[in-house]
Amino acid sequence: MTKRALLLVNRHSRKGQQSFAQAVDILNDLGFELIVVPIKSSEELPQLVRQHGPKVDLVIVGGGDGTLNGVVDSLMDMHLPLGILPLGTANDLARTLNIPFGIPQACQVIAEGHLKYVDLGWVNGKHFFNVSSLGLSVDITEKLSRGAKRRWGVLAYAFTAFQVMSQTRPFHAQIKIHGETIEVKTIQIAVGNGRFYGGGMAVAEDATIDDQRLDLYSLELQYWWQIFPLLWRLPQGQHGYLPWVRTLEGEYLEIYTRKTQDINTDGEIVTHTPAIFRVIPQSLGVFVPSKSMTVQS
């Protein structure tokens, strides 16, 4: 039976323009009946999903993690599954789900129809896939230009992090979890739902997107040299071994700050403190490779 799909492609993403026509041709050949909507701005995404949702069986999104973040709330509202074409810079959700970065292979994954129901994070009414954070990461997001991401790819995150590190100042925060209140002085608090963020760094060493928990870490650095072991440990999610990194996990937590802090979810600044976080277990269906499929990225 022909599957009707809404195809939303962010042409401003790193590979969006060149991959758009290729994706349409391949999906047509695979038997999909497409409603094709090139995205002019991310603000359009929720309206487009709600407008076309009743006419389709699934939504296919071509873009990066920010584009995917833009559709997650409307997908939940419309009870529609998600197909992913990784066209962004970091593609951390695709990396978490082992979705191949090649467009033909990613289209084949969607056509095979193997659904995995993943957990979502939730903060102040907004769902997220990968991580939600405040502090240093917000400074990086605000400084990171679209041009730098297109030119340098994942390396742009590292370059920008070094630029803003010297300007970032610690802030006071209060974390409430498991009935306990913890006072911290930190440069960043991150709350992860998935496994990867920031171009392939792991939220926690054993984090998965279906473990029904949130993983929190707080960077409580006191000396400049502490950043170097941190950079070594972060990619593998081993930052919790460092004494100046606090790690916590739970299904529900609250964060309060003396000064209002913006909150970045999947690379998009969407809310601010005070913040309530929850995990929503197995709440969204995403097409992923079957165990028998050989993934090439």
Side-chain angles (χ1 to χ4, degrees):
M1 186 176 69
T2 301
K3 282 195 173 182
R4 299 165 299 169
L6 172 62
L7 175 61
L8 302 171
V9 175
N10 180 2
R11 294 196 183 189
H12 297 297
S13 64
R14 193 164 187 243
K15 303 174 185 174
Q17 190 67 41
Q18 65 194 51
S19 301
F20 173 67
Q22 181 190 19
V24 171
D25 289 342
I26 293 170
L27 289 166
N28 280 326
D29 289 343
L30 288 169
F32 286 93
E33 180 183 318
L34 298 176
I35 297 175
V36 181
V37 184
I39 304 165
K40 295 178 182 177
S41 69
S42 58
E43 287 76 18
E44 294 178 293
L45 290 167
Q47 177 187 350
L48 290 171
V49 172
R50 293 185 177 101
Q51 177 185 346
H52 297 287
K55 299 175 282 187
V56 299
D57 304 305
L58 69 154
V59 176
I60 301 172
V61 178
D65 294 298
T67 307
L68 293 168
N69 183 269
V71 300
V72 61
D73 289 328
S74 52
L75 288 175
M76 289 288 287
D77 292 344
M78 302 301 296
H79 305 289
L80 286 168
L82 170 66
I84 299 173
L85 302 180
L87 303 179
T89 303
N91 298 310
D92 285 306
L93 180 59
R95 198 185 309 268
T96 293
L97 295 171
N98 205 29
I99 293 170
F101 287 3
I103 298 305
Q105 297 93 331
C107 290
Q108 186 63 42
V109 166
I110 300 168
E112 288 190 353
H114 182 71
L115 269 182
K116 177 184 181 71
Y117 282 85
V118 303
D119 301 342
L120 291 176
W122 181 99
V123 54
N124 290 355
K126 170 66 183 161
H127 294 91
F128 62 94
F129 288 106
N130 302 323
V131 72
S132 182
S133 55
L134 53 149
L136 176 63
S137 63
V138 172
D139 297 336
I140 293 172
T141 298
E142 290 176 335
K143 192 171 182 63
L144 191 61
S145 69
R146 182 182 293 168
K149 288 200 289 184
R150 280 186 172 177
R151 184 175 181 183
W152 299 105
V154 173
L155 288 176
Y157 289 90
F159 294 153
T160 308
F162 276 112
Q163 286 180 324
V164 303
M165 189 71 71
S166 61
Q167 303 165 6
T168 298
R169 297 289 176 263
F171 61 92
H172 292 272
Q174 192 180 72
I175 303 167
K176 293 188 176 183
I177 185 169
H178 303 312
E180 182 183 3
T181 299
I182 303 166
E183 303 279 351
V184 301
K185 185 179 180 183
T186 180
I187 63 168
Q188 173 168 299
I189 299 174
V191 180
N193 170 65
R195 176 162 181 79
F196 294 114
Y197 72 106
M201 295 189 295
V203 172
E205 195 171 21
D206 62 342
T208 66
I209 200 165
D210 57 358
D211 55 16
Q212 302 187 24
R213 73 169 199 243
L214 299 173
D215 293 283
L216 177 148
Y217 71 79
S218 171
L219 304 182
E220 299 167 17
L221 283 66
Q222 294 181 307
Y223 307 103
W224 65 269
W225 57 264
Q226 291 173 322
I227 193 66
F228 294 107
L230 182 63
L231 293 174
W232 178 261
R233 292 287 192 176
L234 271 174
Q236 291 78 37
Q238 297 176 346
H239 39 277
Y241 293 124
L242 301 173
W244 52 89
V245 180
R246 185 188 306 271
T247 58
L248 302 163
E249 62 181 59
E251 299 174 8
Y252 174 96
L253 62 98
E254 302 173 23
I255 297 177
Y256 300 87
T257 54
R258 294 182 184 178
K259 287 180 61 177
T260 299
Q261 297 281 337
D262 287 334
I263 295 178
N264 164 2
T265 63
D266 298 336
E268 304 294 318
I269 297 171
V270 298
T271 186
H272 54 78
T273 55
I276 295 174
F277 293 83
R278 296 190 180 97
V279 63
I280 315 295
Q282 298 180 342
S283 51
L284 180 68
V286 184
F287 293 99
V288 301
S290 61
K291 291 181 181 179
S292 62
M293 181 179 179
T294 300
V295 176
Q296 299 175 353
S297 59

